[in-house]
Amino acid sequence: MSAEAPVTQPEGAPKGAPTPRAPEPEHGLASAVRRETSSGRVFAAAVVAVLVTLLCLYALLESTLQAIGQPAWITDPETAARFISGLPNGINRGLLGLLGVVVALVGLMFVLLALRPGRPGRRALPGKRIAVVVDDEVLASALARRARAAATVRPEQVTVFVSQGEALVNVRPTSGVPVSAEAVLAAAEDELRRLRPEPYPVVRVRVAGTGVVGA
């Protein structure tokens, strides 16, 4: 007779998270899931491209004006080069330091944006032969449906906000009809265990102290 070793919950895993199973074949879908659940850098790249293009167009304009003997629009390239090479002379050192800090912060923001994995508000659901990716709004809708059923309230009395690591369920009870936060929490966690989204959020339930008038 063979015995299987019990599978324990990983340390630090969210409460209610499903017990991990043995790895299954990915069928080449892992890269597709990663691509769909991580945000691209299109917006940031577009901003940088526009800024660089504007700078190049300005330099071309000033060079053209200097070549045809016309006065500079703002400053000609030679004057600008002399000014930059002579820094910090001719400018307030505090202002120059503040400008340097701003430029450094902007550069750091772009570096972090490039290095950190983006997250466009999507989660992967388990699938053996297909890649299943849902928006956080879809997950929030599923949790709201289960929370409404557990609390026995109308749809407008339940709102769910899903962030990267948390799902916050807000319930406004009907006046005179108490709502069990534990029952709502159990229903929401059961729905999460059924869907098994990755990353797996922690559920919090907040029941309002004032109710609404029943229909």
Side-chain angles (χ1 to χ4, degrees):
M1 178 182 297
S2 62
E4 295 182 356
V7 180
T8 59
Q9 190 75 20
E11 185 178 354
K15 181 181 178 181
T19 302
R21 299 180 177 180
E24 298 178 350
E26 295 183 349
H27 300 286
L29 298 178
S31 59
V33 171
R34 282 193 299 269
R35 182 173 61 252
E36 292 297 326
T37 55
S38 60
S39 62
R41 303 294 187 261
V42 176
F43 179 76
V47 170
V48 174
V50 169
L51 293 177
V52 172
T53 300
L54 292 176
L55 181 61
C56 293
L57 289 176
Y58 169 71
L60 179 61
L61 173 63
E62 295 290 9
S63 300
T64 303
L65 292 176
Q66 184 182 33
I68 62 179
Q70 296 296 320
W73 186 41
I74 298 179
T75 181
D76 61 87
E78 292 182 2
T79 303
R82 287 196 300 268
F83 175 77
I84 294 175
S85 63
L87 289 176
N89 298 327
I91 189 172
N92 184 275
R93 293 178 182 267
L95 179 61
L96 185 62
L98 179 61
L99 180 61
V101 170
V102 172
V103 172
L105 289 177
V106 172
L108 179 62
M109 179 186 67
F110 279 107
V111 170
L112 292 178
L113 184 63
L115 295 179
R116 296 184 59 185
R119 193 173 174 279
R122 296 174 185 162
R123 297 170 194 267
L125 301 185
K128 295 183 178 180
R129 297 189 178 278
I130 59 173
V132 182
V133 177
V134 297
D135 293 335
D136 282 351
E137 290 80 6
V138 177
L139 181 61
S141 178
L143 294 177
R145 183 176 63 252
R146 289 294 302 273
R148 287 196 303 267
T152 319
V153 295
R154 298 194 302 271
E156 61 270 17
Q157 293 175 240
V158 176
T159 55
V160 179
F161 301 96
V162 178
S163 61
Q164 183 172 2
E166 181 182 75
L168 177 60
V169 181
N170 294 310
V171 181
R172 294 191 63 191
T174 303
S175 296
V177 181
V179 171
S180 171
E182 291 77 11
V184 175
L185 178 63
E189 289 182 340
D190 180 68
E191 183 69 9
L192 283 179
R193 283 191 295 269
R194 185 181 70 86
L195 296 175
R196 292 188 295 164
E198 178 61 37
Y200 195 95
V202 176
V203 182
R204 289 200 304 118
V205 175
R206 181 183 299 164
V207 179
T210 57
V212 298
V213 178

